[in-house]
Amino acid sequence: MKLILFQPCGVSMRDAQANYLGLVLTTAICAGISAAGTFLAGKRATKSGDDKKFFVSFVTQYMDPVLQRRISSGPTWASWLYHQVRCGLAHGFTIESGGIELGIKGYVAMTQSGPEIDPQGLLDDFAAGWSKYLDDVRIAGEHSGLGTKFSARFRDVFHD
């Protein structure tokens, strides 16, 4: 993860405003969160709704608790991140409600344009969450529920 996602995104994020890669990097980060959710669940998302469930589950358990809060009286930040950012960018090349903004005050903010998230903050939060998740897997051991799920998904992804 460090070599294929965190470091390349981190390097590119430094120049994201000049290189116009902010949306591409955010799409990659969200895809990473979706993939991490499959490891937490121990299986690939196959049924309708699985991807959202796995994504939100990883965000809820391993990322900043601010993402569990509701945006005004609407969805949680995690749900908005999944629907508007992850799905919006992956399936329609756009974020229909809100957006991303490097260097906004705080990690997330409600603005006149709608909800916004700092993509560098999202990358840092995901990297820290992935690290915490791997620590939990290590501590629990390979025969624990968490370890068994990780091993099953790892075998599915990296089988020879």
Side-chain angles (χ1 to χ4, degrees):
M1 291 289 286
K2 188 183 283 186
L3 293 175
I4 65 167
L5 185 67
F6 300 135
Q7 285 179 343
C9 285
V11 168
S12 296
M13 194 72 74
R14 282 181 240 155
D15 298 320
Q17 289 179 323
N19 64 23
Y20 304 105
L21 290 177
L23 292 175
V24 172
L25 297 171
T26 303
T27 303
I29 296 163
C30 288
I33 296 169
S34 283
T38 68
F39 280 83
L40 181 60
K43 61 184 181 176
R44 162 179 248 151
T46 55
K47 295 185 298 193
S48 178
D50 276 355
D51 188 59
K52 178 186 179 188
K53 181 171 69 173
F54 297 170
F55 181 100
V56 171
S57 181
F58 186 86
V59 169
T60 300
Q61 292 181 55
Y62 288 100
M63 294 177 66
D64 193 316
V66 73
L67 298 176
Q68 296 174 44
R69 294 187 194 146
R70 292 208 172 277
I71 302 170
S72 302
S73 60
T76 63
W77 283 97
S79 184
W80 170 80
L81 183 62
Y82 178 78
H83 286 290
Q84 297 299 320
V85 180
R86 185 239 179 261
C87 291
L89 290 172
H91 303 293
F93 305 119
T94 189
I95 301 171
E96 290 185 21
S97 171
I100 63 165
E101 187 68 40
L102 275 168
I104 60 172
K105 187 176 180 179
Y107 177 25
V108 296
M110 188 59 177
T111 70
Q112 288 183 342
S113 301
E116 289 188 355
I117 192 163
D118 178 1
Q120 180 64 60
L122 181 61
L123 177 62
D124 294 344
D125 188 16
F126 176 42
W130 180 252
S131 182
K132 282 187 255 176
Y133 166 68
L134 291 180
D135 286 346
D136 284 355
V137 170
R138 218 175 285 113
I139 290 166
E142 78 176 276
H143 299 294
S144 69
L146 200 58
T148 301
K149 288 177 180 179
F150 175 85
S151 295
R153 186 67 182 130
F154 188 89
R155 279 190 307 277
D156 286 345
V157 172
F158 298 107
H159 69 280
D160 285 336

